[in-house]
Amino acid sequence: MSSLGADLWRRALRVMPGGVNSPVRSFRSVDSTPFFVGRGEGPFLCDTDGRRYVDYVLSWGPLILGHAPPPVVEAVRLQLERGTSYGAPTEGEVELAERITRLMPAVEMVRLVNSGTEATMSALRVARAATGRDAVLKFSGCYHGHTDAFLVAAGSGVATLGLPDSPGVTRGAASDTMVVPFNDLDAVADALRERGDAVAAVFVEPVAGNAGLIEPLPGFLSGLRELTWRHGALLVFDEVMTGFRVALGGAQARYGVEPDLTTLGKVIGGGLPVGAYGGRRELMERVAPAGPVYQAGTLSGNPLATAAGNAQLAWLEEHDPYAGLEVVARRVALGIATAIRTVGLAAAGTAVGSMMGVFFRGEAPRSFEQAQDSDVRAFRRFHSAMLDRGVFLAPSPFEAGFVSTVHGGAEVDLTLAAAREAAEHVAREMR
Ligand SMILES: *Cc1c(COP(=O)(O)O)cnc(C)c1O
């Protein structure tokens, strides 16, 4: 191998842990090594060796308008010429905060941060301050970033590497975290009956996207609303992935359930580093300097990031593309599942808004426990066969896929043709 990508990989392995800056990029969970990106163009990624892939990873969610969409590029270019960071207030921050609070009525006030991890970490601090309680209840397979309190049964990257907990997370931090299965209201009720007066917050991905894609069962989210009210715990929707992905107002609009606090990231940054947390005014007024809960950031509300985020959200607000995105996501997910079933392997596809999931099992799972019971070997082979045919699916069986507004009929046709070939290839290999 003497390609530029192979050379970069050798250099990367010498100077970065595992060769990457985020574990899921390493392709370890598909027993492979990653390509290096040269550029993104609309629905495509082009690698450094001149190969082109239809991209269903889209930077793991942020790029709902595809790569380098003109309105975002133009907004960033204009800002770039005026400076990249000031450490002083800007109009872009006010605009982004106003836009988020307008589109998500449960978010009355919002604080911008730099990542989803920072958003969930800070929301938990606010919840603990507001309730005077320490414990947090989460769901297995839900990922809320990599802070200690949440690195328990945390799905995707952690799951595929076989590290249910991480060394370095203290027993103390983990012991404040309770974990129950997604979509299991009885388990939530039991946990809250037992330790309810210690629980500051129930954190949930309202549509689980870090365990593959798992839809909430009817009544699950409203049941959480009811139970948290009863036990005096706050309900936090972690919409870092689902926010402005499954509907303009996020999962809370789609399912009609209002959380106390909401965390955001990914889409609201238009591909630049951003996170946000927000909620009821009375809760957010506890955050410094309005209140005593300390949280700060040198680059928070960064002008390039707010320019990109404002441009992307403005486009989404104007066009409300979610019904069309869901049609495309459904065609891709169900089409891939059909191709796999056609060769005699088990497969199920699901889509919610612009998110999609394909599972190598007979039925779409309702929990991470069910998702794990899938044919991971077949997935690995399929992933690699799709890559060979110019389609980039997330390199893990426990990740959602994404479509953008520039994934059109031609890309879908190419994908489904590749899926039929890849499925036959996998069936031959596994015979
Ligand atoms: C991606 C993600 C996070 C973490 O966001 P980062 O920006 O990677 O820190 C948190 N919660 C959910 C639901 C996510 O999908």
Side-chain angles (χ1 to χ4, degrees):
M1 279 214 295
S2 61
S3 67
L4 179 52
D7 185 46
L8 285 169
W9 184 235
R10 271 190 297 274
R11 286 167 56 195
L13 283 170
R14 272 198 293 273
V15 288
M16 295 184 284
V20 291
N21 282 308
S22 195
V24 286
R25 296 178 199 166
S26 72
F27 279 42
R28 274 193 197 205
S29 52
V30 287
D31 281 340
S32 185
T33 58
F35 58 86
F36 279 73
V37 176
R39 59 185 293 137
E41 285 172 1
F44 301 108
L45 269 185
C46 305
D47 73 14
T48 47
D49 294 296
R51 303 207 49 195
R52 196 173 80 156
Y53 309 90
V54 183
D55 186 8
Y56 291 102
V57 180
L58 294 172
S59 187
W60 303 87
L63 306 181
I64 195 167
L65 307 183
H67 291 277
V72 173
V73 170
E74 190 51 27
V76 171
R77 196 200 321 274
L78 283 175
Q79 178 56 45
L80 195 53
E81 289 165 2
R82 291 191 233 118
T84 57
S85 182
Y86 313 124
T90 61
E91 185 177 358
E93 296 166 272
V94 181
E95 230 182 85
L96 187 55
E98 284 176 347
R99 197 164 257 127
I100 290 169
T101 54
R102 179 168 69 241
L103 295 173
M104 285 188 167
V107 178
E108 293 173 346
M109 293 184 98
V110 64
R111 166 62 60 85
L112 300 178
V113 292
N114 301 293
S115 70
T117 293
E118 241 188 282
T120 56
M121 174 188 89
S122 309
L124 177 56
R125 185 174 299 151
V126 170
R128 284 173 164 164
T131 58
R133 300 167 174 189
D134 289 347
V136 57
L137 189 143
K138 75 179 283 289
F139 297 90
S140 45
C142 281
Y143 179 65
H144 302 297
H146 63 83
T147 42
D148 287 4
F150 291 121
L151 269 192
V152 182
S156 67
V158 195
T160 45
L161 293 176
L163 304 169
D165 296 317
S166 166
V169 173
T170 65
R171 220 167 285 148
S175 70
D176 279 333
T177 305
M178 302 153 73
V179 182
V180 296
F182 192 73
N183 270 329
D184 189 343
L185 267 186
D186 290 341
V188 179
D190 286 348
L192 290 179
R193 211 173 298 119
E194 242 167 69
R195 275 181 74 188
D197 56 354
V199 175
V202 172
F203 268 70
V204 67
E205 286 182 69
V207 180
N210 286 283
L213 175 66
I214 306 179
E215 253 207 281
L217 291 175
F220 177 60
L221 297 174
S222 54
L224 291 181
R225 184 61 285 182
E226 189 59 40
L227 283 167
T228 45
W229 266 328
R230 195 179 313 156
H231 291 274
L234 298 185
L235 179 61
V236 185
F237 277 6
D238 181 355
E239 297 227 41
V240 170
M241 187 182 286
T242 54
F244 306 97
R245 260 264 163 224
V246 298
L248 194 53
Q252 49 199 273
R254 186 174 172 119
Y255 298 99
V257 176
E258 285 208 346
D260 299 296
L261 291 169
T262 299
T263 55
L264 296 165
K266 298 193 172 123
V267 170
I268 66 160
L272 275 86
V274 167
Y277 64 102
R280 292 208 317 272
R281 182 173 304 278
E282 158 262 320
L283 292 169
M284 291 307 291
E285 279 183 339
R286 293 169 186 271
V287 176
V293 179
Y294 196 71
Q295 186 271 310
T298 301
L299 293 175
S300 291
N302 175 266
L304 285 181
T306 54
N310 274 318
Q312 181 148 284
L313 293 191
W315 194 96
L316 292 170
E317 193 175 3
E318 190 182 327
H319 295 84
D320 199 349
Y322 297 92
L325 284 166
E326 184 157 313
V327 171
V328 176
R330 191 165 298 281
R331 256 195 88 199
V332 174
L334 302 192
I336 291 177
T338 301
I340 298 165
R341 277 200 306 272
T342 302
V343 300
L345 294 166
T350 54
V352 179
S354 58
M355 293 167 66
M356 60 182 199
V358 176
F359 294 92
F360 280 73
R361 68 195 306 278
E363 279 173 51
R366 297 172 162 202
S367 68
F368 187 46
E369 288 73 9
Q370 288 185 359
Q372 281 177 304
D373 177 29
S374 47
D375 188 345
V376 174
R377 237 178 85 239
F379 170 80
R380 282 189 189 125
R381 288 167 187 239
F382 184 74
H383 181 270
S384 143
M386 288 296 271
L387 210 55
D388 287 345
R389 289 162 181 78
V391 179
F392 181 36
L393 302 173
S396 157
F398 307 118
E399 294 288 356
F402 304 99
V403 297
S404 79
T405 52
V406 290
H407 282 67
E411 286 75 48
V412 175
D413 291 345
L414 189 158
T415 302
L416 298 185
R420 285 187 286 272
E421 277 186 33
E424 276 173 24
H425 175 81
V426 172
R428 266 197 309 277
E429 269 193 349
M430 296 191 50
R431 217 168 270 143

